[in-house]
Amino acid sequence: MTAVAHTSYGALRGEVLDGVVVFRGVPYAAPPTGERRWRPPQPVSGWDGVRDATAFGPIAPQDISPQRLAKRGLTMSEDCLTLNIWTPAADDQRRPVLVFLHGGGQAQGHGSAPLLDGARLARRGDIVVVTLNFRLGVLGSLYAPDWHGPDSTNLAVRDQRHALQWVREQIAAFGGDSGAVTVAGQSSGAVAIAVLLAGGCDLFDRAILQSGGLERIRSAEAAAGVAEQLAALQRSEEPGVMDILAAQRTIDTGFVPPQGPFHPCIDGDVISEHPLVAARTSDMPTIPILAGTTRDEWRIFDAALDEEVFTEQYVRDRARALAGDAHDPDVVVANYRSGHDTLREAAGAMVTDYHFTAPTEQFVRAHAERGNAVFRYELQWPSPRAGLGACHDSCLPLLFGNLAAAPVLAGDDDAARRMSDAVQELWLEFIRGGEPWERYVGAAGSTLLLGPETGIARDHRSEQLAVWEGRYPAYG
């Protein structure tokens, strides 16, 4: 079966599946190709007749093999500025809307990933779910204003903002309420939301930040340094996509501390100051925020390292790299050895806090202390794979209910399904405009611990998180 939605650009034909209508590959901007490659997104052109929207659009150019693309039934192209919509019906109801920004270090990922299929969430909550593609890697983040012009910076963020404007204007055609839009993002998607908030974006009414490495916002100097590594591209008037991806692979991405060569930078246009500064000093939108992290974010990255790597000296060197001159590394190590059984666990916990937990807590604490509604959580639901704990990405199958798409992250048994049900109900309560649990009001406030034993904790791990106060690049 099919269903038709009527936008101001033209009609779209979607597919009806199990009581949900899905519209795939809907263009929200003109293709960023040719002369538009290094330009901000431009409005999409209208069309006559009914446009087919039953197939996903191409994903943004990224480092993925043709074999994997074919296996997933996907294509890859610069013509990637599309979104996908799941709705109970393309009618005149006014349902709450969730727009989700995928993660992937702003170098990988796409809105058509099986983990992000919005059908279950749309059906359960009677809401409209939107995912999108945006430019990634060099094509979405190159900082070369002298090369391409001042409006060529932070193109991925400009794409996201353009998509949100499209949702405001068009979502009523899909049964959504343009005045009840929640934007959610995970990992680099959450970083993007922090950037949008810091820039005063008013195109959404609530925000959910999941596992955002908010310290990754780059200074203009750091971003220019990445551009310098791509000097070979400047010698080509029109490099091909594969040339750009090949050059992108030569960039040193670092490991610990985590580096973000493709994350947003403070360009003085899209981003005027670091979100951790803006949350304290600027008039960010006074909207409710739900935000948190998983307890063991970094373990999934450390899993690639052999056990013998984690010596006392290695862990001390990691502490020094993270804490800099601000703290004695031996004190930091001792702090993290307490409560962790192994050096591997202690080393992972340091990066989890430095990169994810502490900056997220600082961001929402400042927002809360300015009188805004904040709901803070920590996901403690463990992966069924030994040693991963509650790792990065484990929130995704729980939120979307697509446990079978990645069973290693959260499991796919009855207990995991009950945990998914609980996460979905809490997030849906927030999306509908409610207060899902007790507000976080600042230092020593309440945090919802989500796991085998769910409940409110106060002053949660504040002593360890205090180690990282002010310890971020471009933090004023």
Side-chain angles (χ1 to χ4, degrees):
M1 291 180 58
T2 61
V4 175
H6 297 274
T7 75
S8 62
Y9 298 100
L12 291 159
R13 180 185 298 108
E15 184 178 14
V16 181
L17 292 171
D18 298 326
V20 173
V21 189
V22 56
F23 297 86
R24 305 181 182 94
V26 179
Y28 66 83
T33 56
E35 294 181 354
R36 290 191 291 265
R37 172 181 275 176
W38 306 108
R39 302 264 68 80
Q42 300 300 310
V44 66
S45 299
W47 57 86
D48 297 324
V50 181
R51 179 175 180 143
D52 183 72
T54 59
F56 288 119
I59 68 172
Q62 55 196 273
D63 207 1
I64 183 171
S65 71
Q67 292 79 12
R68 288 180 65 191
L69 273 175
K71 184 178 180 180
R72 298 177 184 181
L74 298 171
T75 58
M76 186 170 71
S77 169
E78 284 188 82
D79 182 5
C80 63
L81 301 186
T82 62
L83 47 78
N84 314 297
I85 302 167
W86 290 263
T87 178
D91 54 21
D92 60 359
Q93 297 297 308
R94 293 293 176 263
R95 299 174 179 85
V97 179
L98 174 68
V99 180
F100 194 86
L101 307 182
H102 69 77
Q106 206 167 285
Q108 293 181 310
H110 50 90
S112 49
L115 267 179
L116 307 185
D117 185 297
R120 287 180 174 84
L121 198 55
R123 186 185 305 112
R124 182 188 194 107
D126 191 30
I127 67 171
V128 179
V129 178
V130 181
T131 65
L132 54 134
N133 295 334
F134 39 86
R135 282 173 279 189
L136 298 173
V138 170
L139 290 166
S141 67
L142 184 68
Y143 180 74
D146 293 338
W147 182 9
H148 294 304
D151 61 353
S152 67
T153 60
N154 285 314
L155 291 174
V157 179
R158 296 176 194 265
D159 291 346
Q160 293 156 357
R161 194 168 57 189
H162 194 88
L164 288 165
Q165 182 67 54
W166 189 98
V167 169
R168 278 285 203 217
E169 295 172 353
Q170 306 297 329
I171 204 63
F174 303 89
D177 184 350
S178 62
V181 175
T182 297
V183 64
Q186 187 263 351
S187 196
S188 60
V191 176
I193 295 172
V195 164
L196 290 166
L197 286 168
C201 182
D202 61 357
L203 296 173
F204 47 91
D205 308 286
R206 295 188 152 227
I208 300 174
L209 285 73
Q210 300 176 202
S211 300
L214 304 191
E215 54 85 18
R216 278 198 179 186
I217 309 301
R218 302 175 297 160
S219 66
E221 292 76 16
V226 171
E228 288 174 4
Q229 296 183 55
L230 299 166
L233 292 180
Q234 299 182 43
R235 292 194 290 270
S236 174
E237 291 186 4
E238 193 173 346
V241 169
M242 301 314 293
D243 296 325
I244 292 173
L245 291 178
Q248 186 171 301
R249 293 186 202 104
T250 68
I251 297 171
D252 180 14
T253 60
F255 188 62
V256 177
Q259 301 298 311
F262 310 116
H263 278 70
C265 72
I266 301 171
D267 61 354
D269 182 7
V270 177
I271 310 171
S272 297
E273 57 187 349
H274 198 294
L276 295 180
V277 177
R280 299 196 322 261
T281 63
S282 301
D283 293 327
M284 291 200 323
T286 57
I287 64 171
I289 290 178
L290 185 156
T293 54
T294 72
R295 183 189 58 202
D296 309 301
E297 298 271 9
W298 197 252
R299 284 195 191 181
I300 198 167
F301 303 103
D302 272 348
L305 301 178
D306 294 333
E307 195 64 39
E308 55 266 23
V309 169
F310 295 94
T311 64
E312 292 279 358
Q313 186 61 50
Y314 177 84
V315 176
R316 188 178 300 109
D317 290 343
R318 178 176 285 193
R320 183 178 294 106
L322 295 171
D325 298 328
H327 299 279
D328 183 337
D330 291 327
V331 174
V332 175
V333 171
N335 190 16
Y336 279 90
R337 284 300 305 272
S338 175
H340 293 94
D341 294 333
T342 67
L343 284 168
R344 176 189 289 271
E345 290 179 0
M350 281 191 286
V351 191
T352 290
D353 282 352
Y354 169 86
H355 184 49
F356 297 102
T357 317
T360 296
E361 191 274 338
Q362 291 175 33
F363 184 74
V364 298
R365 183 207 312 162
H367 195 62
E369 289 176 346
R370 301 186 76 170
N372 300 298
V374 167
F375 305 92
R376 184 179 170 218
Y377 74 90
E378 181 178 276
L379 182 64
Q380 299 185 336
W381 184 256
S383 162
R385 178 173 292 180
L388 290 187
C391 62
H392 194 62
D393 291 341
S394 60
C395 57
L396 295 176
L398 295 173
L399 172 58
F400 285 91
N402 301 318
L403 297 170
V408 70
L409 292 176
D412 189 18
D413 56 11
D414 288 343
R417 283 186 280 276
R418 287 193 295 271
M419 188 75 255
S420 176
D421 289 345
V423 170
Q424 287 187 334
E425 286 302 325
L426 290 166
W427 266 236
L428 286 167
E429 177 66 18
F430 180 79
I431 292 164
R432 295 185 187 114
E435 300 202 357
W437 61 84
E438 184 180 325
R439 290 188 183 190
Y440 175 74
V441 294
S446 59
T447 299
L448 180 66
L449 307 182
L450 279 163
E453 296 182 5
T454 293
I456 292 290
R458 302 186 192 285
D459 198 21
H460 183 56
R461 300 182 56 251
S462 60
E463 289 188 10
Q464 284 186 327
L465 297 183
V467 169
W468 312 111
E469 288 287 337
R471 179 65 185 98
Y472 298 109
Y475 190 101

